Amino acid sequence: MGRRPEVAIVGELNVDFILEGVPRDLPEERELLASNFTMTLGSSSAILAHNLALLGTSVSFSSRIGPDPLGEVCCQWLQQAGVEIDHIRCVRNGSNTGVTFILPLVTTRRSITYPGAMFEMGIEDLDTAYLASAQHFHLSSFFLHRTLSPHIAGLFAAMKRNGLTTSLDTNDDPQDEWDSGLKTVFPELDILFCNERELLKIAQMENADAAAEKVSAAVRMLIVKRGARGASVYSQGQRMDGPAISVQVQDTVGAGDTFNAGFLHRWLRNAPLEECLAFGNLAAALSTTRPGGTEAFKDSGYRERFLAEHSSRGPQLQL
Ligand SMILES: Nc1ncnc2c1ncn2[C@@H]1O[C@H](COP(=O)(O)OP(=O)(O)OP(=O)(O)O)[C@@H](O)[C@H]1O
Ligand SMILES: [Mg+2]
């Protein structure tokens, strides 16, 4: 069904409710006020899909939602960005679509997720033959796929057998166990994305350089996102650093997922790693300038101006 996408993404789909200006302490029995509210597309996988499609890569998204308005609005947002959504299954007798409440602080944030349908997405919700028709396969939020979890390594292996390139972003493990068979997926990966905190957890180490050395020995390419310090690529025993772009940050929600979008957009076109890294940092910087992970990308005039203006200052980037 539908045309063959360049990138097939499997992942969770929920809405972000972002409440800005909430006090750091949350006393009981008080009417606390937020200074701004944004309801926008949430989920690491969905933010990546949305922004990658708007950069010009063709993307399909496979997921499971509940029969409720939140699931419907997520599908509309993805479709408006040009994402192929025929493989999002709406299941009537399961849980509703999940939600995340985000309370941004200055450089950090509080985040609470009700997983809903994402905990119930199973292998039977996915059309593996369709996924295998893409050129690249990606899955985000490894630890949020409770039902799919035992099948994830097999899914990646099947995609590799079919000749696809693959990538995974672990994101956080809410159980803080950092296992669930993650290492069995490593041999099937072309790219492992994580942030610095996640890297330490995956490696079970306290030193970031030692952790990167250990994890990069187990995957073809490791990418570590370092917030305002940019990101690093580890590939074939070499490390390459790319600085972040200096911008007026509104919030960093979804910046990591948008970095993945920028990096993959260039990597899938065989750009040199330096350029992939620079474009990942550029896309991520754009995402930090508006609330949530997709608001800055939705505004096409703003997006194109930002990308053109900043790429003319950095290494030669082909948009
Ligand atoms: N203050 C900042 N200024 C400019 N760019 C930033 C800033 N913070 C983050 N970025 C960009 O966003 C990228 C991702 O940041 P981060 O390390 O927060 O990833 P993450 O934790 O995976 O994010 P997410 O919360 O989306 O999962 C960085 O590599 C950088 O390019
Ligand atoms: Mg992340």
Side-chain angles (χ1 to χ4, degrees):
M1 193 164 35
R3 70 198 160 100
R4 292 171 52 173
E6 288 173 271
V7 178
I9 300 178
V10 167
E12 73 292 2
L13 189 52
N14 63 10
V15 178
D16 276 353
F17 292 94
I18 305 173
L19 291 156
E20 291 170 57
V22 176
R24 182 172 284 271
D25 296 321
L26 302 175
E28 293 169 27
E29 304 292 343
R30 298 290 319 280
E31 188 70 43
L32 304 174
L33 297 179
S35 60
N36 194 30
F37 168 68
T38 307
M39 173 177 149
T40 187
L41 183 66
S43 328
S44 172
S45 322
I47 293 169
L48 163 60
H50 184 279
N51 293 348
L52 185 56
L54 286 175
L55 288 173
T57 291
S58 69
V59 181
S60 79
F61 193 71
S62 298
S63 189
R64 170 171 169 147
I65 54 171
D68 48 73
L70 292 183
E72 221 168 278
V73 78
C74 286
C75 290
Q76 280 166 17
W77 284 325
L78 284 172
Q79 196 167 35
Q80 281 158 10
V83 176
E84 161 68 58
I85 60 162
D86 283 353
H87 292 79
I88 298 175
R89 274 196 75 206
C90 177
V91 180
R92 304 220 157 262
N93 52 358
S95 291
N96 279 349
T97 306
V99 290
T100 299
F101 288 88
I102 299 174
L103 309 181
L105 300 166
V106 180
T107 52
T108 58
R109 59 179 174 257
R110 292 200 174 89
S111 171
I112 305 167
T113 291
Y114 164 67
M118 90 168 82
F119 266 11
E120 291 156 15
M121 179 171 69
I123 194 75
E124 68 288 351
D125 289 313
L126 302 176
D127 179 343
T128 43
Y130 174 72
L131 294 173
S133 73
Q135 293 164 30
H136 182 84
F137 174 74
H138 178 92
L139 183 138
S140 287
S141 303
F142 182 79
F143 300 101
L144 291 181
H145 300 296
R146 203 163 267 186
T147 304
L148 188 65
S149 180
H151 304 281
I152 292 178
L155 191 54
F156 271 98
M159 295 303 131
K160 282 305 287 176
R161 274 199 306 279
N162 279 279
L164 282 76
T165 50
T166 59
S167 54
L168 168 76
D169 192 323
T170 62
N171 287 310
D172 191 31
D173 178 2
Q175 313 253 72
D176 209 18
E177 290 170 355
W178 299 89
D179 184 3
S180 307
L182 176 64
K183 290 186 182 65
T184 64
V185 186
F186 284 177
E188 314 298 342
L189 290 181
D190 289 291
I191 307 176
L192 173 66
F193 291 104
C194 60
N195 67 24
E196 209 160 38
R197 187 187 152 273
E198 292 153 4
L199 172 69
L200 296 175
K201 292 285 189 173
I202 294 165
Q204 302 282 303
M205 294 172 97
E206 284 172 13
N207 176 283
D209 289 336
E213 196 175 317
K214 179 176 172 183
V215 176
S216 63
V219 291
R220 291 181 187 86
M221 193 190 302
L222 168 69
I223 298 188
V224 182
K225 291 165 276 180
R226 303 183 195 275
R229 286 176 293 121
S232 307
V233 181
Y234 300 81
S235 170
Q236 298 180 332
Q238 305 281 318
R239 168 179 173 163
M240 189 186 291
D241 296 325
I245 287 162
S246 176
V247 282
Q248 186 82 36
V249 174
Q250 168 108 21
D251 80 41
T252 60
V253 174
D257 314 314
T258 308
F259 175 94
N260 300 353
F263 187 94
L264 286 174
H265 181 66
R266 300 302 302 137
W267 187 77
L268 291 165
R269 283 155 187 77
N270 301 314
L273 283 182
E274 185 190 13
E275 197 181 312
C276 303
L277 195 51
F279 200 59
N281 281 314
L282 177 61
L286 166 60
S287 123
T288 68
T289 62
R290 297 253 170 111
T294 58
E295 294 302 309
F297 270 71
K298 272 183 188 169
D299 180 340
S300 60
Y302 175 70
R303 181 182 75 236
E304 295 310 321
R305 269 196 314 279
F306 181 98
L307 293 177
E309 187 189 319
H310 287 82
S311 52
S312 64
R313 293 192 211 142
Q316 305 81 37
L317 292 173
Q318 307 269 310
L319 297 182

